[in-house]
Amino acid sequence: PLKFNDEALDCVVVSSSLHHALILENVLDEIYRVLKKGGYLLILNETPNSYLFYTVKSIVLSVRILLNIVFRKYSAVSPSISSSGTLYDPYLGDKRFPLWYWIKSIRNSGFTLESKIDSKLGTLKGKKGLSLVHFICKK
């Protein structure tokens, strides 16, 4: 929970952090609670995946997990998959969310998505095909 009263803030800025959320929509709901009516949420530096990219990466991760099971390869920490996101780096808590999931989560939390801006800038980790994206949302 955010330690602010309801409708206390004009603007909330989150940068390179929402992909660590256990449940993205819960975090967005809490941000919505603390924003004043007409307030803005700026989501900066995220890497939403296209439907195809997300599907392919999920299949690759599924095969890797299946092979670990078949060959009884022990791992204290393991990636996980769901229809809403994949935890691909359990050590850092990095999750991969498809673009459609970002948009639905933003809208389900009550926000209006005013703009999605593709910065065309690569990620710090240099992942090919992924550029940093910003979402501008209004309560």
Side-chain angles (χ1 to χ4, degrees), residues 22-133:
L22 185 58
I23 301 172
L24 180 59
E25 203 166 310
N26 288 355
V27 177
L28 294 172
D29 287 345
E30 183 64 4
I31 294 170
Y32 188 88
R33 180 189 68 79
V34 302
L35 271 176
K36 293 178 183 175
K37 184 175 168 109
Y40 281 92
L41 164 62
L42 307 176
I43 302 171
L44 307 177
N45 303 321
E46 292 293 351
T47 54
N49 301 142
S50 71
Y51 180 75
L52 179 62
F53 184 89
Y54 180 76
T55 302
V56 169
K57 288 295 189 178
S58 295
I59 291 168
V60 169
L61 192 56
S62 297
V63 169
R64 201 167 94 206
I65 291 169
L66 184 59
L67 288 173
N68 286 346
I69 293 168
V70 168
F71 293 107
R72 298 180 182 173
K73 183 178 176 189
Y74 173 77
S75 179
V77 179
S78 178
S80 62
I81 303 169
S82 76
S83 60
S84 59
T86 61
L87 176 64
Y88 67 92
D89 188 339
Y91 293 102
L92 293 176
D94 285 342
K95 290 186 177 177
R96 180 180 289 119
F97 299 119
L99 178 59
W100 63 264
Y101 183 75
W102 277 100
I103 293 169
K104 282 193 176 205
S105 294
I106 289 167
R107 290 183 177 149
N108 287 349
S109 295
F111 290 100
T112 300
L113 179 58
E114 294 211 329
S115 184
K116 178 183 89 60
I117 303 163
D118 186 339
S119 71
K120 307 286 189 214
L121 297 173
T123 66
L124 183 62
K125 294 179 181 179
K127 304 229 180 209
K128 289 189 176 188
L130 293 178
S131 61
L132 298 172
V133 172

